[in-house]
Each structure stands twice: as C-alpha cells, then as structure tokens.
Amino acid sequence: MSAPKISLQSETTAKSAGCASSTCGSSARPSDMEPAIWEKVKDHPCYSEEAHHYFARMHVAVAPACNIQCNYCNRKFDCANESRPGVVSEKLTPDQAVRKVIAVANEVPQLSVLGIAGPGDACFDWHKTKATFERIVNEIPDLKLCISTNGLALPDHVAELCDMNVDHVTITVNMVDPEVGARIYPWIFYKHRRYTGVEAARILHERQMLGLEMLTARGILTKINSVMIPGVNDEHLIEVNKWVKERGAFLHNIMPLISNREHGTHYGLTGQRGPKAMELKALQDRLDGGAKLMRHCRQCRADAVGLLGDDRGQEFTLGQISDEVTYDASRRDAYREVVARERGDRAVAKSEATELVKAAGSGKSLLVAVASKGGGRVNAHFGHAREFQVYEASPKGISLVGHRTVEQYCLGGWGEDATLKGVIAALEGIDVVLCAKIGDCPKAQLRGAGIRAMDDYGYEHIETAISTVYAAEFGAKPLAATA
Ligand code: CLF
Ligand code: SF4
C-alpha cells in the first residue's frame, strides 16, 4: 500500500518556492531549550507555541465529577458553538473515548496529544481517566497524554501519572492567598467532608503547591492555568506567578474570565466582568521575566478536537463514529515527515525576520493581527477568519502575544455589516491586519477604525510578513533587499 499524500494544508504552501533552505528535516529546536525538554514539547500544541501551528490535541470528556466549585463554572450549560472550559456536548465512557480517539487519529493527521480536561476534574474522577489512558497507550503508543486538574486530588495520583508516562499536567491556580481564594471557591469536598470559605481555599492552595512540587521533582512538565478575574485576583496573579516559578512550573497561562449571565455561573449572575484583551496583555507584559508565559491558549472545551484555533469536535460525535474502528498510523506518520521539513524552513525564516526587526532600531512596537489556518503562514481570507493571531513586533523581536476570537464575517460570498462591526471592535488596539485576501469594503471600514489591512503577503511565513511590514513602516530595508 502506498503512503497517503499529505500536505500541511493545501493553501499553506501555495506560494512557497519549495524546499530552498538547508534545514530540511531539522528539528528546529530553540537555542534556549535542552534536548530532553524539546523532545517532550516539540509536538505539544499547548506547551510549544511553535508546535501549535502544526499539531492538534483532542480532549475526551470522560471525567464529569468534580470535587470543588469555582465561581466561573456551570457544567450544565452547553452550547456547541461556544469555546469555554468545562463545556461539553456528550460525556463518554472510557470505551467510547478510545473508539473516538482512534477515529480522530485516522482522520486528523495533526493529532499528537490526548488530553483529559473534565468536564469535571481528571484527578477526582480518576478511575475513568486512568482506564482511558491505559487503553490508549496500547492502541496508539506515540500519542502524548495530558491532564488538566484543579489540584485538590492531584498529590494522590502523581506516582500513577509517572507510571503511565504522562509528561504534561496542568494545574489551575487562581490564588496563593486563601483570602483571595475564598472569593473564587465557595466550597471544596476533601476527605469525605465539605469545607467552605478561607479554610476551603487554604486546603486547596496547599494541595496545589504540593502537587506542583511533586510533579517538578519527577520531571513532569507542569503548566499553571490562572483565570484573570478583574478586581478579584488580577493584581494577585503577579504573586501567583512568583510562587509557581519558584516551584518549577514550566509555563504560566493567564486566561481571561469568560462570564455571561446566560451561562448561569455565580460570576455571570452577579455581573462580574472578564478582562478586556488589552487588560490581559498589560498584565502579561508586567510578568515578563517571571515564569514563562503561554500566550496562545484558546480556552478549549472539554471535548475539543483539532488545531487550537480550529475546533472540529462536532465532526466526531459518537453518532458519527462506527462501532468498529482500527487504528491506521499511515496519515499521521506521513504528516510528521512534512512537518519536519516545513518547521526547519520556518525556523530560518523566523530568524531572518527577527534580525530584520531588530536591525530597524526604531524602538517602536507594532501590533499585528494575522488570519491563519495553520502552518505558521498568512493563509486565511479576512472574511473566513474565526480568530486572528496577535503578534507584537518590537526591538526585542516578533512574538505571539494572544489571539482575538471573532464571528466569521463572510458567509457564502457576502458579509454582514453588523458582523464586521463586531470584528473591528474585537481588533481594538491592533495596528495592522495581515490576511490572504480582503475586499475593498472591509478594508475601508478597518481603515476608518485606524487599522490597516493588507493581503500583499498572503501565504508567506507569518514572521517574514510581519518583519517586511515593520521594516517598511520604520525605515529599514525589506527582507528581499537584504538577502
Ligand atoms: Fe488539553 Fe490542556 Fe493538555 Fe492542552 S488544552 S489538557 S494542556 S492538551 Fe491548551 Fe486548551 Fe489552553 Fe488547555 S489551549 S485550554 S492550555
Ligand atoms: Fe468547574 Fe473545573 Fe472548577 Fe470543577 S475545577 S468547578 S469542573 S472549573
């Protein structure tokens, strides 16, 4: 049987000139990362920003029970179009989960990680989490296993996580001061007892720190997720960042509170607002130099499937999966070979782009929103984008600093004015939009809002396109002229 034909995405390489660099097959490991760590993160879309352009995760919703209550959570509410942790369309038994993972692995060659992120707590609902992982290790041994937990039951399962080769654990830590915690957690259930108030928050805090220390001691990479709740813990997250850095956290991911009245959460019902995109960025910028930040989180559903910015979960509901599925590794294997070549070329392009931006010596920064379908390229049409990746170009280089979710503006060849207004509002603070194609009308309306939209760099590597715009803006020579 011949190997299946796989490309990154048909549009991704449409204008690339083929493999011109000498880095084909390069692992493109960043210079500041040890080889053993790179091996663990290079295919994990959450732990490596670079990997998220190429690789996908899937969550299986096998763990519905939870041992605490967070004021931002209501697991009864479900909307298939919404992306928010704890939200799920159907809960699965471990057997159903294994069937679904195999079906997805056969269809989504980018799949590299299986995560259990609820819809309750993966460590509290431990038997289902463990049963699922044990079966998957036998079926698809190279799939990375990952869990997300509130941390209360985590210390009880660290040894088993180690035994199952789970390399990646996320703990949600919203406070290190129980007084702050009492405003986030009304109760916890611990050792057959219910605790409330400051006492509940103190126990949770101690268990979270113990779990983190145990994972660090065993070399398991631990990411800390924190929900930024304005007026409750926003300033306090600076302290949280220090604590988790001292205890060996690999990444700190600060996520905006999602709070709407219709979600029925305590915060939603009491009018607690979430932060604006620029408030989140300002806090993240203040943490520069602390625990390394993750800035590309998409706040996934507990049944998400696919690249981080492109949830395909609705294509893989149980009703769409046949009763008998057998794993076929050929598509995933072929895809990995393509990615190895592509990421080597991208590393060269990124390094050249960074040099160009630094050489401009302007001292200015530019916030650029990019429409991308993956592969690290400017390859989505403005009207088709459901999110924009936000990059900052500054004398320090070019970095991904977040994303903005939008409603798709163009459906079936025409766009709604009201939708466009929402897109423009979501792009607040952005200087330039880069996309593969944009019409005159949205371009003009963006210009009216002070945002320049360009489709001159369609299908380029993202960093190459940004550096060319930056150089043109601030007076340095464009990349082509320096080659
Ligand atoms: Fe899932 Fe979480 Fe593992 Fe990733 S998600 S359990 S670490 S595989 Fe990723 Fe989603 Fe953000 Fe989580 S983008 S919410 S950080
Ligand atoms: Fe909801 Fe997770 Fe909090 Fe449990 S830990 S209440 S599932 S957000």
Side-chain angles (χ1 to χ4, degrees):
M1 191 177 74
S2 61
K5 281 204 158 186
I6 292 279
S7 65
L8 263 182
Q9 298 215 8
S10 50
E11 293 89 342
T12 301
T13 49
K15 279 195 184 170
S16 85
C19 183
S21 86
S22 57
T23 61
C24 278
S26 154
S27 66
R29 172 169 64 89
S31 55
D32 61 349
M33 199 176 284
E34 290 171 25
I37 303 285
W38 176 242
E39 260 322 296
K40 285 186 184 177
V41 303
K42 72 181 173 53
D43 299 343
H44 197 307
C46 305
Y47 281 70
S48 158
E49 184 254 304
E50 197 254 357
H52 104 284
H53 294 295
Y54 305 114
F55 288 103
R57 53 72 187 104
M58 72 176 288
H59 291 161
V60 284
V62 294
C66 189
N67 48 357
I68 71 173
Q69 179 62 55
C70 305
N71 279 335
Y72 47 77
C73 178
N74 173 14
R75 299 192 298 289
K76 291 191 195 107
F77 180 91
D78 174 36
C79 168
N81 296 318
E82 194 202 32
S83 181
R84 152 173 94 87
V87 173
V88 63
S89 290
E90 59 187 5
K91 292 166 198 153
L92 306 178
T93 64
D95 279 352
Q96 290 169 329
V98 171
R99 199 151 54 88
K100 179 168 176 174
V101 174
I102 293 172
V104 171
N106 287 346
E107 287 297 316
V108 181
Q110 299 98 331
L111 184 69
S112 61
V113 177
L114 168 65
I116 298 183
D121 186 75
C123 283
F124 181 60
D125 222 340
W126 178 248
H127 294 300
K128 291 185 212 145
T129 298
K130 189 177 172 191
T132 306
F133 278 170
E134 282 178 341
R135 287 205 48 197
I136 285 299
V137 167
N138 288 327
E139 297 280 351
I140 314 179
D142 71 313
L143 211 54
K144 288 190 184 304
L145 306 178
C146 191
I147 64 160
S148 175
T149 173
N150 62 46
L152 186 60
L154 171 64
D156 303 334
H157 303 297
V158 169
E160 289 165 286
L161 288 167
C162 226
D163 291 345
M164 289 192 292
N165 283 329
V166 175
D167 278 336
H168 304 85
V169 173
T170 295
I171 315 173
T172 301
V173 178
N174 295 320
M175 53 87 204
V176 291
D177 176 351
E179 297 282 348
V180 176
R183 298 175 63 195
I184 303 170
Y185 307 103
W187 56 261
I188 68 164
F189 188 73
Y190 180 59
K191 290 194 173 171
H192 313 292
R193 246 193 81 186
R194 193 178 161 103
Y195 294 82
T196 58
V198 174
E199 190 184 15
R202 183 185 52 74
I203 295 168
L204 180 62
H205 161 62
E206 288 172 1
R207 298 284 291 173
Q208 289 176 336
M209 293 303 114
L210 174 62
L212 172 56
E213 286 164 10
M214 290 172 75
L215 292 168
T216 300
R218 285 158 182 80
I220 296 177
L221 298 184
T222 308
K223 175 164 66 62
I224 303 300
N225 280 0
S226 297
V227 181
M228 179 182 176
I229 311 161
V232 175
N233 73 346
D234 43 353
E235 283 294 317
H236 181 61
L237 289 179
I238 293 166
E239 193 65 15
V240 171
N241 185 270
K242 278 191 205 138
W243 275 65
V244 300
K245 183 181 183 186
E246 282 165 15
R247 284 158 184 79
F250 181 71
L251 278 177
H252 190 190
N253 170 28
I254 299 184
M255 312 182 296
L257 171 71
I258 301 171
S259 176
N260 292 325
R261 190 166 185 83
E262 61 270 25
H263 296 159
T265 63
H266 173 78
Y267 283 149
L269 295 172
T270 54
Q272 170 66 52
R273 73 173 181 92
K276 293 183 181 163
M278 294 307 279
E279 289 175 320
L280 175 66
K281 183 177 180 299
L283 176 63
Q284 289 170 328
D285 289 348
R286 283 171 68 192
L287 291 172
D288 205 14
K292 196 168 180 310
L293 295 183
M294 173 190 188
R295 300 228 201 182
H296 60 282
C297 176
R298 303 303 203 278
Q299 293 178 279
C300 314
R301 295 165 54 91
D303 57 4
V305 173
L307 293 171
L308 295 192
D310 182 23
D311 190 356
R312 298 178 57 185
Q314 294 307 309
E315 295 172 39
F316 297 98
T317 54
L318 279 182
Q320 300 172 81
I321 298 170
S322 72
D323 292 340
E324 295 293 326
V325 283
T326 310
Y327 177 51
D328 173 3
S330 55
R331 290 191 74 196
R332 289 182 65 235
D333 289 348
Y335 179 75
R336 269 154 204 271
E337 286 175 23
V338 174
V339 169
R341 288 195 296 274
E342 175 69 14
R343 81 195 311 181
D345 288 349
R346 181 162 185 266
V348 173
K350 188 174 175 180
S351 152
E352 289 174 351
T354 304
E355 287 311 310
L356 184 66
V357 166
K358 286 183 177 167
S362 76
K364 303 241 175 73
S365 74
L366 199 66
L367 222 47
V368 184
V370 179
S372 175
K373 290 194 284 188
R377 296 193 183 250
V378 182
N379 56 8
H381 290 203
F382 176 82
H384 297 163
R386 282 178 286 164
E387 66 159 38
F388 290 86
Q389 296 177 18
V390 178
Y391 287 77
E392 184 163 42
S394 75
K396 289 193 223 159
I398 302 171
S399 6
L400 180 68
V401 294
H403 76 285
R404 306 281 174 90
T405 304
V406 297
E407 196 179 333
Q408 187 172 331
Y409 160 60
C410 180
L411 294 165
W414 55 281
E416 284 279 357
D417 249 15
T419 311
L420 182 56
K421 282 200 178 79
V423 176
I424 291 172
L427 293 173
E428 181 198 358
I430 298 294
D431 300 302
V432 173
V433 167
L434 297 179
C435 54
K437 203 83 198 154
I438 184 167
D440 291 339
C441 171
K443 201 173 186 175
Q445 291 206 37
L446 282 159
R447 199 181 310 118
I451 303 167
R452 283 160 293 145
M454 306 176 192
D455 55 12
D456 314 60
Y457 307 103
Y459 307 99
E460 294 275 10
H461 288 290
I462 289 171
E463 284 83 0
T464 304
I466 292 173
S467 69
T468 311
V469 173
Y470 187 89
E473 186 98 348
F474 298 117
K477 288 178 194 162
L479 195 58
T482 64

